[in-house]
């Protein structure tokens, strides 16, 4: 049952990632990877909220949404690749900004999601 939950969550998260990434990136005329940043921050927010409310909802939801959906939605490998591509293209400021903004916004979003869910469900 656990594998099925991960599979279903991933089957929704992967196309969501693709569509969201393309939609966001198409709105910016920049080599900065706005789409990847968006999916990673949104995934961090969702996972933070899920963990913040985990005591109320248990393991199946965490497996479906946390591992399956968020695991397929977010992407560390694309973030790494795009940062290296920016460095190769000598866009050092964009590369540094990508790392800094992804870390700060991702952790901030996870904290915000956690705090919001914890406050609502407490």
């Amino acid at each position: 049952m656990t594998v099925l939950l991960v599979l279903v969550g991933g089957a929704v998260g992967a196309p969501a990632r693709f569509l969201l990434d393309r939609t966001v990136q198409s709105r910016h005329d920049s080599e900065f990877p706005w789409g990847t940043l968006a999916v990673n921050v949104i995934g961090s927010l969702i996972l933070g909220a899920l963990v913040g409310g985990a005591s109320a909802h248990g393991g199946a939801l965490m497996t479906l949404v946390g591992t399956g959906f968020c695991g397929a939605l977010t992407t560390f490998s694309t973030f790494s690749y795009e940062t290296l591509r920016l460095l190769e293209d000598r866009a050092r400021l964009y590369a540094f900004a990508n790392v800094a903004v992804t870390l700060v916004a991702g952790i901030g979003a996870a904290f915000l999601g956690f705090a919001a869910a914890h406050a609502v469900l407490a």
Side-chain angles (χ1 to χ4, degrees), residues 24-74:
V24 170
Q25 199 62 42
S26 71
R27 288 174 166 53
H28 298 321
D29 186 25
S30 169
E31 63 183 318
F32 189 84
W34 292 106
T36 302
L37 175 64
V39 297
N40 285 337
V41 172
I42 291 168
S44 295
L45 179 70
I46 293 168
L47 192 55
L50 189 61
V51 171
S55 60
H57 295 296
L61 187 62
M62 181 66 84
T63 302
L64 175 69
V65 178
T67 304
F69 179 78
C70 288
L73 177 69
T74 60

Side-chain angles (χ1 to χ4, degrees), residues 3-26:
V3 172
L4 183 60
L5 290 170
V6 173
L7 181 67
V8 169
V12 174
R17 177 201 181 291
F18 176 78
L19 294 171
L20 182 58
D21 180 15
R22 298 294 174 177
T23 300
V24 170
Q25 199 62 42
S26 71

